[in-house]
């Protein structure tokens, strides 16, 4: 068990458990993250091996604010959702703000699962972490990602920026959205 597993808060929704990633998730992560239509939509390349997936669980996915999206029905990790503090964000944001992000495996697209997971993270970011503004971005050719944010209360800023730290798409603009706590009734 990774040390972070003991300290990170588990979030629960009607259909989902948002929990820390486990090394035992590597096979499932590879199954879904190797899909060539998943990662590039979020700015990362498809996984090439279970070993690569395991390494990403140990490094990238083991930080605070990064949850595996587990479907209660199957107990399987079907995606990832989380937030990045300003110091790790792709966007130039203040210290009391964060950037949110997510991806869901293709078999679970268009089922409201990503919105359900994101809503739990939005609530956590405002009510537990005390962030004042949440930011998100998406590639315009992936409008479904923008719709998830809209359903969670984000508004389109009208801005597009480059995110040079992305592994895929660093040369393509992303559409920027935000959610100021005042906008909602949280």
């Amino acid at each position: 068990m990774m040390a972070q597993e003991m300290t990170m808060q588990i979030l629960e929704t009607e259909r989902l458990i948002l929990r820390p990633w486990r090394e035992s998730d590597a096979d499932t992560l590879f199954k879904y993250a190797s899909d060539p239509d998943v990662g590039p939509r979020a700015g990362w390349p498809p996984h090439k091996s279970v070993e690569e997936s395991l390494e990403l669980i140990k490094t990238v996915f083991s930080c605070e604010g990064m949850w595996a999206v587990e479907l209660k029905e199957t107990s399987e990790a079907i995606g990832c959702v989380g937030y990045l503090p300003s110091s790790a964000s792709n966007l130039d944001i203040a210290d009391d703000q964060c950037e949110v992000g997510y991806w869901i495996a293709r078999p679970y697209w268009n089922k409201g699962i990503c919105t359900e997971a994101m809503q739990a993270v939005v609530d956590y970011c405002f009510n537990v972490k005390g962030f004042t503004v949440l930011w998100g971005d998406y590639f315009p050719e992936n409008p479904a990602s923008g719709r998830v944010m809209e359903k969670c209360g984000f508004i389109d800023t009208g801005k597009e920026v480059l995110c040079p730290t992305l592994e895929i798409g660093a040369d393509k603009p992303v559409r920027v959205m935000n959610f100021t706590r005042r906008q909602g009734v949280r």
Side-chain angles (χ1 to χ4, degrees), residues 20-130:
W21 284 89
R22 302 177 188 128
E23 291 182 13
S24 60
D25 293 323
D27 287 331
T28 303
L29 175 58
F30 174 69
K31 176 172 76 172
Y32 293 128
S34 62
D35 183 330
D37 286 332
V38 174
R41 291 173 185 255
W44 46 269
H47 292 196
K48 294 179 180 69
S49 68
V50 172
E51 292 75 26
E52 178 185 9
S53 294
L54 177 60
E55 185 60 26
L56 287 166
I57 287 171
K58 291 178 178 180
T59 56
V60 177
F61 292 170
S62 68
C63 64
E64 179 187 341
M66 201 65 60
W67 289 272
V69 177
E70 179 182 299
L71 190 62
K72 286 180 180 178
E73 184 179 310
T74 63
S75 300
E76 184 177 56
I78 60 166
C80 187
V81 64
Y83 69 89
L84 296 171
S86 61
S87 60
S89 176
N90 288 310
L91 305 170
D92 184 18
I93 59 177
D95 289 343
D96 64 345
Q97 303 174 5
C98 71
E99 179 183 354
V100 298
Y102 44 85
W103 66 268
I104 294 293
R106 187 187 345 203
Y108 303 98
W109 289 357
N110 301 311
K111 298 180 187 297
I113 290 173
C114 203
T115 302
E116 188 175 326
M118 192 68 237
Q119 189 61 61
V121 171
V122 166
D123 291 342
Y124 180 83
C125 286
F126 283 141
N127 299 321
V128 175
K129 296 304 288 183

Side-chain angles (χ1 to χ4, degrees), residues 122 126 132-134 152-154 177-181 183-184 186:
V122 166
F126 283 141
T132 59
V133 181
L134 308 183
C152 291
F154 287 71
M177 299 184 75
N178 74 8
F179 187 169
T180 301
R181 188 177 183 126
Q183 293 166 207
R186 305 210 185 295

